[in-house]
Amino acid sequence: MQPVRKKKRKISIKALTVVLTVLFLSVAAVYFLQRKPVPKPSPLEDLSVTLINQDEDTLTRMEITNMKGEGFTLLREKEQFVVEGHPFFEADQIEVSMMVKDLTMLVANELAGEVHTDENSLKLLGLGENAPRVKAEYKDGSSLTLVFGNSAQTEVPSDYLMFENDNKIYFVSPETREHFDRSLASLHVIPAINFNEKLVDSVAVEGDESFVLSHQEGLWELETPCRYPLDHVKVSQFLGAVGKMRFAQYYGSEEELNKKELGLMPPRRVMRFHLSKSTITEYDKDGAIVGSKDIPEQTITLALGDNIDKVGLYCLYEGKVYQATNVSMGFLRDLNVQNLLSPNPVTLPLNRLQGLDVERNGAKHEYRIEFVEKILPNNEIERDQDGNILYEPSVTLSGEEVPSDDFVREYLKLMALKHSGRLPKGFVPASDQPLTNYIFYLPDGKREMALFPYDDLHYAIRVNGVFIDYIVKAEADAVSL
């Protein structure tokens, strides 16, 4: 027999689509008929527990003991609390108000459970006899004592808390413990000393290195022990840091402390900031001026003591000792005047210059400068966009008028001169007579820059009688005045 070949059956695409659709609908129908409804999530149960509910004015006394065993007591006097035994202690009333709130309206996150009240069981939770605590007393004669324990390591940050002589343990916010587990010093008011650096007229430094920095019309100079121009960028950075100064914590009054042990008798360094007079303006919520107060000239004095480990230093301010961090105030201790000196021996702007004498090779050029109104081609006075009159220099040489543009160009080259390095300490030139001497006449007096031989490529520079830097000879010789 011959094998019979079977014929393949052709399946219609349309028929296959219908079959699959019917199968999908059947399965979906069974699923939706058998599926159980999903219950709606119930709202989270409120497990909070109100522990204290009193009016704030009923609290009369707080006796605080921190984890180190140090304690102090706050007593109500009329509308505020004072430190018992320390009548002149300036307590920060904002900090005190948070303590009062905790002792009159305290809500725990939830009840943690009950424990045995033996010392070993409590100690495991940080609630033993050495735990920080606060005893509160009220007008009605009642009292209670809160004991603060370790972190509970819960999902929502919490600490353990209990009432003394009770076996119930609660979860409370860590901030509650922070309000009471503290030293008395941490409760003292911290004065603001980050005064506006724009008000600083001068800075006097006393100590191993004593000097005075001052400015006229924004031009900063070293005033003593010698007069020398300062680097305006570095001075600006210094003043910017001054504007951000702050104390970290109160340490004690100078009467109570041994200042010698803190490096404050005598101080390592004393900083005196002289501030110009100013006006404080008050505004309402809409930005309208409601008043102003004139502040007279004043001097802020800070005495710096020993370092505190590697993190800070002691500071004496208005009879009280504070701790400050290196980040905030360490720059005062580390300030070195040599680092503030300008690399440019001449920084005097042209608008302050009244005259300039140049002595070179036995010849003397005497320039005199006046500033006159700038006249437009139509003979009107030129003004800036704010309506202020513009001025231009009028220059004479030995009484004869010379082109001001030529003088200005050469003077700007003089201001652009920059030192090449520092002279050896105690440098003395071979001759008392400079090769070139510049005498600058200003409204507040005279300044000097003189050039002396140093080596084949450089001049030694004397600025106002002091040798500090040397300069490239070719650059100095390029100035034609």
Side-chain angles (χ1 to χ4, degrees):
M1 292 181 63
Q2 296 292 330
V4 178
R5 180 175 293 177
K6 295 182 180 180
K7 295 182 179 179
K8 293 182 179 179
R9 296 180 61 184
K10 295 182 178 179
I11 300 175
S12 169
I13 297 299
K14 183 176 182 181
L16 180 60
T17 302
V18 172
V19 171
L20 291 176
T21 302
V22 171
L23 180 61
F24 172 77
L25 292 175
S26 299
V27 173
V30 171
Y31 172 77
F32 283 109
L33 288 173
Q34 292 182 350
R35 190 185 64 167
K36 295 179 180 179
V38 178
K40 294 182 180 180
S42 58
L44 294 176
E45 185 179 357
D46 184 6
L47 301 177
S48 62
V49 183
T50 299
L51 302 181
I52 306 175
N53 188 1
Q54 299 260 19
D55 291 334
E56 290 190 0
D57 61 359
T58 63
L59 182 64
T60 59
R61 189 172 188 270
M62 293 180 275
E63 185 178 331
I64 296 96
T65 305
N66 65 18
M67 66 181 300
K68 296 180 180 179
E70 302 166 343
F72 60 93
T73 300
L74 298 176
L75 301 174
R76 180 182 289 278
E77 282 193 2
K78 297 181 180 178
E79 298 301 320
Q80 65 179 22
F81 281 82
V82 297
V83 181
E84 185 178 48
H86 300 271
F88 302 108
F89 188 93
E90 298 177 60
D92 187 331
Q93 294 302 313
I94 294 178
E95 293 288 323
V96 172
S97 68
M98 291 188 288
M99 301 166 74
V100 172
K101 186 175 181 179
D102 285 339
L103 295 177
T104 54
M105 179 55 70
L106 181 61
V107 178
N109 297 338
E110 63 179 290
L111 174 66
E114 298 182 357
V115 297
H116 296 291
T117 56
D118 60 281
E119 179 62 18
N120 287 335
S121 298
L122 294 177
K123 195 173 182 180
L124 290 173
L125 301 175
L127 294 164
E129 61 181 14
N130 295 324
R133 62 195 64 217
V134 55
K135 180 180 180 181
E137 297 181 4
Y138 303 89
K139 282 183 179 179
D140 61 4
S142 63
S143 65
L144 57 84
T145 299
L146 296 177
V147 183
F148 305 98
N150 297 333
S151 170
Q153 302 298 318
T154 51
E155 183 177 354
V156 176
S158 303
D159 286 349
Y160 294 118
L161 175 140
M162 67 178 292
F163 288 96
E164 194 173 60
N165 300 322
D166 192 2
N167 68 338
K168 292 184 177 64
I169 307 297
Y170 302 92
F171 295 139
V172 296
S173 167
E175 293 180 354
T176 307
R177 172 175 176 152
E178 293 171 2
H179 293 161
F180 298 97
D181 186 12
R182 67 194 307 163
S183 65
L184 176 59
S186 71
L187 195 62
H188 196 281
V189 170
I190 303 297
I193 56 169
N194 55 331
F195 44 82
N196 188 340
E197 65 270 23
K198 294 180 181 179
L199 299 177
V200 180
D201 280 338
S202 66
V203 181
V205 179
E206 302 168 10
D208 294 337
E209 182 184 28
S210 297
F211 53 91
V212 176
L213 315 176
S214 64
H215 78 96
Q216 291 287 337
E217 300 177 7
L219 180 65
W220 281 88
E221 291 182 302
L222 175 64
E223 185 176 314
T224 60
C226 62
R227 188 172 290 277
Y228 207 91
L230 298 177
D231 187 325
H232 72 279
V233 173
K234 292 184 178 179
V235 171
S236 179
Q237 292 171 344
F238 166 71
L239 294 177
V242 165
K244 298 176 183 177
M245 291 190 307
R246 61 182 179 85
F247 295 130
Q249 183 171 296
Y250 173 77
Y251 191 72
S253 67
E254 62 177 334
E255 294 85 1
E256 301 170 341
L257 299 171
N258 186 330
K259 292 192 293 183
K260 188 174 183 179
E261 292 181 353
L262 303 178
L264 290 166
M265 185 178 282
R268 304 299 182 198
R269 170 171 276 184
V270 177
M271 309 286 301
R272 302 187 193 278
F273 300 90
H274 185 266
L275 309 183
S276 60
K277 62 182 180 180
S278 59
T279 300
I280 297 177
T281 304
E282 299 178 4
Y283 299 88
D284 63 16
K285 61 181 181 179
D286 297 321
I289 297 176
V290 296
S292 62
K293 181 181 180 181
D294 291 331
I295 306 298
E297 294 183 23
Q298 57 180 314
T299 298
I300 305 295
T301 302
L302 299 173
L304 310 182
D306 286 344
N307 294 335
I308 305 172
D309 296 326
K310 294 182 180 180
V311 297
L313 66 160
Y314 294 104
C315 299
L316 176 63
Y317 174 65
E318 294 187 342
K320 296 175 182 177
V321 179
Y322 299 89
Q323 294 176 323
T325 66
N326 287 334
V327 173
S328 174
M329 298 180 68
F331 73 97
L332 296 178
R333 172 200 57 213
D334 302 333
L335 182 65
N336 184 330
V337 71
Q338 293 292 322
N339 295 333
L340 295 178
L341 300 182
S342 173
N344 304 94
V346 179
T347 60
L348 305 169
L350 184 60
N351 60 2
R352 291 191 60 198
L353 197 62
Q354 295 178 334
L356 171 63
D357 291 349
V358 182
E359 300 177 7
R360 183 187 297 113
N361 299 326
K364 184 176 182 179
H365 293 170
E366 297 180 345
Y367 295 94
R368 296 296 175 262
I369 301 96
E370 294 182 0
F371 285 86
V372 297
E373 295 90 347
K374 195 170 184 179
I375 306 299
L376 295 170
N378 60 3
N379 290 326
E380 290 186 2
I381 296 176
E382 186 172 356
R383 299 174 182 271
D384 63 16
Q385 59 183 6
D386 297 321
N388 300 312
I389 297 176
L390 296 178
Y391 294 86
E392 60 183 352
S394 173
V395 182
T396 60
L397 175 57
S398 300
E400 299 291 332
E401 188 171 356
V402 296
S404 60
D405 290 346
D406 293 344
F407 176 83
V408 171
R409 181 183 64 252
E410 296 305 314
Y411 187 78
L412 293 178
K413 287 166 62 177
L414 186 64
M415 291 185 65
L417 293 178
K418 190 173 183 179
H419 74 185
S420 295
R422 291 285 164 85
L423 293 168
K425 189 174 182 180
F427 171 81
V428 177
S431 170
D432 292 338
Q433 295 301 316
L435 300 174
T436 304
N437 193 23
Y438 296 90
I439 304 295
F440 306 86
Y441 296 90
L442 307 174
D444 63 338
K446 295 189 299 184
R447 305 287 189 276
E448 175 217 39
M449 184 187 78
L451 305 178
F452 291 78
Y454 183 56
D455 59 30
D456 291 342
L457 300 178
H458 300 92
Y459 289 128
I461 313 171
R462 186 181 70 191
V463 177
N464 303 317
V466 179
F467 287 96
I468 296 179
D469 297 324
Y470 61 86
I471 195 169
V472 174
K473 182 183 294 186
E475 294 176 358
D477 291 342
V479 179
S480 301
L481 283 172

